[in-house]
Amino acid sequence: MAATAEEVSWIVGIEKSTADNSEIKIYPNPVRKGNSLTVETTDAKTIRLMTLQGVTISNQNINTPITTIQTDNLTGTYLLIISGKDYTKTMKIIVK
């Protein structure tokens, strides 16, 4: 039986960012396991790393323009959620 529009009650997606891509730099991506992932941003307040299943791996309050995230125990694809005063940006991160 095919699903109809009436049977679908919600949509899952990634929130569109109001931040300009030039304000946030994330490198290297993909990153090798054991290396650091670097995030450069001018006005972010929090950085959260999550699995694709929604499990939070790390949640950092930041107050410097450059933040590093260790990948020692990580392998796979993750979501990096960067939040500032007026925006939230979600990016896919790959750890090899």
Side-chain angles (χ1 to χ4, degrees):
M1 179 174 173
T4 65
E6 296 169 344
E7 294 172 339
V8 178
S9 60
W10 50 272
I11 298 173
V12 175
I14 296 176
E15 180 179 347
K16 184 177 179 184
S17 170
T18 58
D20 185 304
N21 286 336
S22 64
E23 296 176 4
I24 300 171
K25 295 179 185 175
I26 299 172
Y27 56 90
N29 189 18
V31 61
R32 291 195 185 276
K33 180 178 179 175
N35 291 346
S36 297
L37 181 70
T38 301
V39 180
E40 290 186 29
T41 179
T42 56
D43 62 350
K45 302 298 180 199
T46 62
I47 297 177
R48 183 170 34 155
L49 184 66
M50 295 178 64
T51 67
L52 295 179
Q53 292 77 28
V55 177
T56 299
I57 303 297
S58 72
N59 194 18
Q60 300 179 30
N61 292 323
I62 60 170
N63 55 10
T64 60
I66 299 175
T67 302
T68 58
I69 298 171
Q70 297 301 317
T71 62
D72 296 332
N73 299 318
L74 303 176
T75 301
T77 303
Y78 299 87
L79 298 176
L80 187 67
I81 303 166
I82 301 168
S83 299
K85 180 180 178 184
D86 298 321
Y87 71 91
T88 298
K89 177 140 181 101
T90 303
M91 301 181 78
K92 180 173 69 171
I93 302 300
I94 299 172
V95 181
K96 292 185 173 185

